[in-house]
Amino acid sequence: NAGVTQTPKFQVLKTGQSMTLQCAQDMNHNSMYWYRQDPGMGLRLIYYSASEGTTDKGEVPNGYNVSRLNKREFSLRLESAAPSQTSVYFCASTEGPQGYEQYFGPGTRLTVT
Amino acid sequence: AQSVTQPDIHITVSEGASLELRCNYSYGATPYLFWYVQSPGQGLQLLLKYFSGDTLVQGIKGFEAEFKRSQSSFNLRKPSVHWSDAAEYFCAMDSSYKLIFGSGTRLLVRP
């Protein structure tokens, strides 16, 4: 099993450009998450999908959109990138809504200039 | 509001010394608690978790953590640190479909 995979690993964007971060899991998990990690701030939840067909905002959703394409895939879109979105983005998945371990992907390092 | 606090940003220990990383939480009921480790350039890996029952939980890589309800704490310990333990450690709390993370503690290990 590959676990949670993310593409791309690195990306540089100019302000105003758009892009989509891809995430896929092969563990048949129901719930999937997008986090951003910034120095000294831990991980902050952007959006999550508790089950296929549902998505909800997390702590820092502004400037992002998500799509739960199917049970395996959960994408994060930046419509008009801003320097404040420079960060490391992690996707995670878990078996159930509560009390289960979250499995993390390797991350995408995004720089917006 | 629910929150997780890791009061130490950095901790430096000598190889072979013992380690304790602090974590405090704010939650009305008994939470589900986790410790994750992140090596440089990597994603997060679960070290251990507490759901209920025995308040001392064992994890991977020789780590353990103790849940203390009276102190709202879930501190991570290891009796003898190895150089490979140098990483960033995150305490997290389950909050209804979501994990709330502390800001992390970076562990440096002196040879």
Side-chain angles (χ1 to χ4, degrees):
Chain A
N1 287 350
V4 179
T5 56
Q6 294 182 235
T7 55
K9 285 187 166 48
F10 301 94
Q11 184 72 48
V12 178
L13 292 178
K14 291 187 178 355
T15 297
Q17 287 184 319
S18 63
M19 79 161 296
T20 299
L21 280 63
Q22 306 286 354
C23 174
Q25 52 90 10
D26 62 2
M27 296 173 282
N28 200 36
H29 284 169
N30 291 308
S31 304
M32 297 185 73
Y33 305 79
W34 277 106
Y35 295 92
R36 61 178 288 172
Q37 183 179 31
D38 302 291
M41 303 189 76
L43 279 79
R44 293 181 293 169
L45 183 65
I46 305 171
Y47 270 94
Y48 67 102
S49 171
S51 60
E52 188 179 355
T54 70
T55 60
D56 285 285
K57 294 178 181 179
E59 182 184 355
V60 289
N62 290 347
Y64 304 96
N65 284 300
V66 290
S67 295
R68 184 74 183 267
L69 304 169
N70 47 56
K71 192 170 185 180
R72 289 187 64 247
E73 299 172 288
F74 188 39
S75 63
L76 178 72
R77 183 160 178 84
L78 286 69
E79 290 291 351
S80 179
S84 61
Q85 294 178 304
T86 293
S87 188
V88 182
Y89 292 85
F90 288 99
C91 178
S93 71
T94 186
E95 182 177 342
Q98 190 169 27
Y100 292 89
E101 172 185 358
Q102 288 193 14
Y103 292 81
F104 286 80
T108 295
R109 186 172 295 273
L110 175 67
T111 301
V112 183
T113 62
Chain B
Q2 298 164 7
S3 65
V4 175
T5 302
Q6 293 180 248
D8 303 306
I9 298 173
H10 295 101
I11 282 187
T12 302
V13 299
S14 298
E15 191 169 14
S18 63
L19 170 70
E20 183 168 26
L21 302 182
R22 296 183 291 166
C23 172
N24 293 97
Y25 67 89
S26 173
Y27 188 64
T30 300
Y32 298 139
L33 295 163
F34 305 82
W35 274 100
Y36 283 85
V37 61
Q38 184 182 30
S39 298
Q42 304 295 315
L44 276 71
Q45 180 185 20
L46 182 72
L47 283 176
L48 49 77
K49 58 190 176 186
Y50 172 78
F51 288 173
S52 63
D54 193 346
T55 56
L56 186 63
V57 294
Q58 303 295 322
I60 63 170
K61 304 185 181 189
F63 285 92
E64 66 179 27
E66 186 170 13
F67 172 68
K68 291 186 177 180
R69 186 193 307 276
S70 62
Q71 298 177 18
S72 298
S73 68
F74 187 55
N75 293 350
L76 182 71
R77 301 196 293 247
K78 186 169 185 179
S80 178
V81 168
H82 188 263
W83 64 265
S84 60
D85 293 325
E88 189 150 23
Y89 292 80
F90 293 95
C91 183
M93 176 173 71
D94 193 309
S95 172
S96 186
Y97 296 94
K98 303 183 287 290
L99 282 182
I100 298 174
F101 284 88
S103 55
T105 298
R106 183 167 298 280
L107 174 65
L108 304 173
V109 180
R110 277 194 298 257

